[in-house]
Amino acid sequence: MFAIRRLINMFAAHGFGMQHDIPVQSSYAVSPHHSGVYPVHDPLYDAWKSIWKIRVTSTEQYPHLKPTSLRRGFVYKDIMVMPRQTCGLYTHTIFIEQFPGGKERLDESIFGGELFYTFVFNPFLIFMTHQANYAKDRLAVYTFENAVRFIRCWTNLKLQTIATLEMAEKYFQMYPQEVNPVWGNPCSDQRHAELLSTKNLCKQFPDAIIVGPQKTGSTALYTFLKLHPLVNSSLSHPKTFEEVQFFCGRNYLHGINAYSEYFPPRQEKTLLFEKSATYFDCDLAPLRVHSLLPRAKIIMIVISPIKRAYSWFQHMKAHNDPTALKNDFIDVLQSKENGPPEMWKFRQRCLTPGHYAHHIEHWLAHFPAKQIHIVDGEALQQRPAVVMTHLLDFLELPDMDYNEKLVYNTKKGFFCIREEFNRTRCLGKSKGRSYSPPSEDVRRYLINYYKTHNIAFHRLLLRLGYETPTWLQQELQESST
């Protein structure tokens, strides 16, 4: 209702301007009291884009107000958000005696101080001086006339004034890496928290994430964890089912409000988690997750990379992937980078998630080891109660007797959930598919391929204090013969 009312008000304001010949065609706008630009408020961007045709705005808040040297830009909903600098002039500084520190402090900033260095170190400059500072003591005029004279006198900088749209286009040509935002946690910054349109937003974020990789048993782990009475998960989605897939893909560009909508209202003393198996080997995911959820607990599940790769191939085949349907697995493995591009891309998607040490080190670059828990997926399949007990301990949750909750299904070949009246509920048909084992040529190829990766993973596990999984011992021994 609030968003609709704001849209109506903007339509009315736009109509008033048109009716009274007030210029309303500018491609640049700022928001009163800095609200809605960052942290982003979707109705503001929607209204700017649809009613005012805004292309550029600016903020001092991304990623944070301070340090000023780290302010950056981003693009959201096709609106370019430029980093804005501060000059010390505000609505309460219209008289020199009201300026903090008086004229001496202002002059110090202009003549070789903070404002001077702002000019020196920023190739693009946007300031908000406030209209009131062009009246009364005219501090805006005084400040910038003197700043420009001082810059021209003591530096070789060439100052140029250009339209904001042209400036924004040049900015993102120079800094293309800033186009996609990195969402921070608004509740860890008091200024951001005050600007939030939804005050309970941060309560909707998860405490833990199962990051995958794919085809290692992450759905079973997700299902078993949900059995705990003090655990709640993200809501099911018609396209991605139990997965959110926010931090790696286009969903991320929809913003953190969209992310929060994947989760149910938080209940008191419950742990909220999500599972997205694509996060594990996604280059962007560790940084993005840490930026928004720095205290989150990260859960990884691994099995033999040989089994994982072969299972993924069979999974793609069952989903009628043309590359999987047209080629034998050994042909995929032996494809070359200079061969058919779709074959090489498929091969890389199949094999690289099994570079466990490489990907885990990437996560460790952003999260301390105490926030990461590695689950042996094959142990989960064989001894789920033991594995889940260790996981509950990591998550600081009360114990639960999984032996009462799970029962082995001889027909399926894995554990299912025990329900009332001696019924059981197993994972879907797509889980635990039966197919012929890989050929000896395939196994030998993958043993050799994963040899160095398995050695690196073994060393990593020892460093982190984990026991060596049985499957890893076997593959290391097999690769040495």
Side-chain angles (χ1 to χ4, degrees), residues 164-215:
T164 49
L165 179 57
E166 183 183 357
M167 179 186 286
E169 290 171 343
K170 288 180 179 293
Y171 181 90
F172 288 106
Q173 287 172 6
M174 182 176 289
Y175 304 110
Q177 71 277 10
E178 293 184 20
V179 169
N180 291 333
V182 177
W183 306 123
N185 189 315
C187 298
S188 63
D189 184 315
Q190 184 177 351
R191 292 179 67 93
H192 291 176
E194 291 171 353
L195 295 172
L196 282 177
S197 57
T198 306
K199 297 304 180 184
N200 292 325
L201 179 67
C202 297
K203 293 182 179 180
Q204 292 297 101
F205 294 149
D207 308 293
I209 303 179
I210 299 174
V211 299
Q214 291 178 303
K215 308 312 295 177

Side-chain angles (χ1 to χ4, degrees), residues 218-465:
S218 60
T219 300
L221 187 64
Y222 163 89
T223 304
F224 296 165
L225 184 56
K226 280 183 65 177
L227 295 175
H228 197 285
L230 296 182
V231 170
N232 208 350
S233 72
S234 55
L235 303 171
S236 181
H237 191 273
K239 290 185 177 180
T240 56
F241 304 102
E242 79 276 6
E243 298 205 350
V244 176
Q245 296 185 5
F246 175 74
F247 292 101
C248 189
R250 294 201 59 80
N251 281 346
Y252 186 76
L253 301 181
H254 295 162
I256 60 176
N257 286 288
Y259 183 55
S260 70
E261 292 172 1
Y262 279 90
F263 299 94
R266 182 184 289 274
Q267 299 174 356
E268 190 176 356
K269 296 182 180 179
T270 59
L271 179 137
L272 197 58
F273 83 103
E274 69 130 311
K275 187 269 283 190
S276 295
T278 56
Y279 294 166
F280 178 78
D281 53 303
C282 174
D283 289 340
L284 294 172
L287 169 64
R288 288 175 169 180
V289 173
H290 183 266
S291 182
L292 183 61
L293 308 170
R295 296 183 180 86
K297 296 195 172 184
I298 308 301
I299 304 164
M300 304 166 175
I301 178 168
V302 296
I303 63 172
S304 158
I306 295 174
K307 287 185 178 179
R308 198 219 67 83
Y310 189 59
S311 176
W312 186 85
F313 174 80
Q314 296 294 341
H315 171 80
M316 299 304 289
K317 195 172 183 178
H319 283 77
N320 298 317
D321 181 275
T323 303
L325 291 173
K326 294 177 183 177
N327 298 278
D328 291 333
F329 190 40
I330 190 64
D331 296 327
V332 171
L333 297 178
Q334 293 176 343
S335 62
K336 304 297 182 183
E337 189 172 3
N338 59 359
E342 69 281 356
M343 181 85 96
W344 177 255
K345 182 179 179 181
F346 186 92
R347 177 188 185 273
Q348 296 304 96
R349 288 175 60 203
C350 179
L351 296 180
T352 54
H355 303 175
Y356 294 146
H358 170 79
H359 298 303
I360 295 173
E361 291 285 12
H362 196 182
W363 284 91
L364 285 167
H366 296 276
F367 288 89
K370 65 181 181 181
Q371 284 180 237
I372 294 177
H373 184 70
I374 303 171
V375 173
D376 179 356
E378 297 193 18
L380 178 70
Q381 186 177 0
Q382 299 160 8
R383 304 181 302 280
V386 174
V387 172
M388 293 306 297
T389 297
H390 289 312
L391 179 58
L392 295 183
D393 184 57
F394 168 71
L395 296 173
E396 300 179 271
L397 289 168
D399 289 340
M400 188 179 82
D401 189 355
Y402 273 93
N403 288 314
E404 292 185 356
K405 294 288 185 179
L406 303 175
V407 59
Y408 186 76
N409 186 303
T410 54
K411 185 177 180 181
K412 285 277 190 179
F414 50 76
F415 282 81
C416 299
I417 299 169
R418 191 196 306 269
E419 296 189 329
E420 294 180 337
F421 310 112
N422 292 323
R423 294 179 179 177
T424 58
R425 175 165 55 89
C426 298
L427 300 180
K429 293 180 180 180
S430 64
K431 307 300 178 183
R433 289 190 184 93
S434 296
Y435 39 77
S436 59
S439 67
E440 187 58 34
D441 287 344
V442 165
R443 181 167 181 81
R444 176 48 53 187
Y445 182 96
L446 291 175
I447 283 288
N448 292 330
Y449 175 85
Y450 282 117
K451 179 178 180 178
T452 56
H453 298 291
N454 279 345
I455 291 172
F457 183 48
H458 183 229
R459 290 172 177 168
L460 176 64
L461 290 177
L462 293 176
R463 191 180 91 212
L464 297 178

Side-chain angles (χ1 to χ4, degrees), residues 98-144:
Q98 294 174 341
F99 191 89
K103 185 175 183 297
E104 182 180 350
R105 178 72 179 275
L106 178 58
D107 285 347
E108 179 183 312
S109 176
I110 296 170
F111 302 112
E114 183 177 351
L115 182 58
F116 170 76
Y117 282 107
T118 299
F119 273 86
V120 170
F121 291 120
N122 291 280
F124 299 89
L125 294 162
I126 294 180
F127 293 99
M128 180 178 284
T129 53
H130 299 281
Q131 188 174 8
N133 284 301
Y134 291 87
K136 306 301 181 182
D137 284 352
R138 304 181 72 212
L139 293 188
V141 178
Y142 174 83
T143 297
F144 282 91

